[in-house]
Amino acid sequence: MSNVAQLVRERFGELTEIQKLAIPRVLDGENVLILAPTGYGKTESALLPILEKIKERKNAASESGNKEGSVGIEALYITPLRALSRDLRTRFEWWCERLEISHDMRTGDTTLHERAKHRKDPPKILLTTVESLQALMLGRVMRKHLSTVRFVIVDEIHDILDNKRGAQLSLGLERLASIASFQRIGISATVANEAEAARLLFGDRPYAICEAGKSRKMDIDIEKRSEGRM
């Protein structure tokens, strides 16, 4: 059975700059805001240490024979609906299936059959949206499953800073905090106001910012060409 470190070597060879900065902070249990341009591996910066913790807990529960320790949702990955692309789902499948960690997606388009499956056998990691989080909190069975959440990742946080969805997320997280104790991780490629993003996600809780790629080095050559005569 593979572990996270083995899979990192298989998929990447080595960690990116933002992954080296963020993963230790997430492993330490800190609330973290991860900022880096597209293509820097921000998703894995948040996901990999959480998968490691879920895997450790699963192994400990298995060794002790405590099946109750493996019941319920442990992590939520919240992102705008448009960001739930095939690429993101494929990346989740690649990591989770090799680590034998269950995962699924919940949106407004999720069928009744799939929703019933979530109630009966909740996944360890659930990909969802801001709007669906509010709906999940209304169901008695799903509220029980959400009471075991230990990690919440909010992706594309810049997309909800200046609209009502940001307030909806903040409210949803506080409602979730009334039934569960969880670590918060935010991800953004671009955010104009880091303090505003942090306040939305963390409130008055302590947090760390991990940032990479803000100042890229560029080599620029200037060539002057003389105009030829006609």
Side-chain angles (χ1 to χ4, degrees):
M1 186 182 300
S2 300
N3 60 40
V4 173
Q6 291 171 338
L7 292 178
V8 167
R9 288 191 289 269
E10 177 184 341
R11 191 168 177 87
F12 298 134
E14 62 179 2
L15 297 176
T16 65
E17 180 185 0
I18 191 61
Q19 290 166 356
K20 291 177 181 178
L21 291 172
I23 287 177
R25 309 301 288 264
V26 177
L27 283 173
D28 283 343
E30 296 182 61
N31 298 318
V32 183
L33 181 60
I34 301 172
L35 306 173
T38 300
Y40 270 57
K42 297 185 297 299
T43 296
E44 284 79 8
S45 298
L47 182 62
L48 296 186
I50 287 174
L51 291 177
E52 179 70 18
K53 289 189 173 187
I54 292 175
K55 190 69 174 178
E56 289 177 355
R57 184 165 176 168
K58 179 181 178 181
N59 291 341
S62 177
E63 291 173 3
S64 65
N66 179 16
K67 293 184 179 181
E68 288 298 320
S70 63
V71 174
I73 298 169
E74 291 196 49
L76 291 176
Y77 191 102
I78 304 171
T79 190
L81 181 60
R82 62 172 178 75
L84 282 172
S85 63
R86 181 175 178 82
D87 174 66
L88 180 61
R89 294 196 297 271
T90 299
R91 287 156 72 185
F92 264 77
E93 289 171 1
W94 195 93
W95 293 103
C96 292
E97 289 178 3
R98 283 163 176 76
L99 293 169
E100 298 182 4
I101 295 174
S102 59
H103 64 287
D104 211 334
M105 186 170 67
R106 181 69 171 261
T107 70
D109 295 329
T110 300
T111 66
L112 292 176
H113 173 73
E114 291 171 322
R115 296 183 187 201
K117 178 184 174 183
H118 296 162
R119 290 192 295 270
K120 183 178 181 180
D121 185 20
K124 292 286 104 183
I125 300 180
L126 184 65
L127 285 78
T128 190
T129 63
V130 174
E131 295 78 9
S132 292
L133 173 61
Q134 295 283 12
L136 287 169
M137 294 294 295
L138 297 176
R140 178 180 58 83
V141 176
M142 289 308 296
R143 277 180 64 88
K144 181 180 179 181
H145 292 325
L146 289 172
S147 68
T148 57
V149 166
R150 299 189 295 142
F151 315 99
V152 173
I153 302 171
V154 179
D155 202 352
E156 305 279 353
I157 195 168
H158 58 274
D159 195 54
I160 58 175
L161 278 182
D162 57 355
N163 54 57
K164 64 181 182 181
R165 297 176 71 227
Q168 192 175 12
L169 172 68
S170 183
L171 177 60
L173 291 179
E174 293 310 314
R175 292 179 65 192
L176 181 61
S178 69
I179 61 172
S181 178
F182 54 91
Q183 181 181 358
R184 305 176 185 217
I185 301 102
I187 302 174
S188 181
T190 57
V191 59
N193 191 327
E194 296 175 2
E196 183 181 357
R199 185 166 56 251
L200 173 67
L201 182 57
F202 309 123
D204 58 0
R205 299 169 181 83
Y207 64 91
I209 293 179
C210 295
E211 186 170 11
K214 191 171 185 179
S215 55
R216 296 182 177 180
K217 293 182 179 180
M218 301 179 67
D219 292 327
I220 301 176
D221 292 329
I222 300 176
E223 297 182 3
K224 182 178 180 181
R225 297 181 179 180
S226 58
E227 295 183 2
R229 294 185 177 180
M230 297 294 292

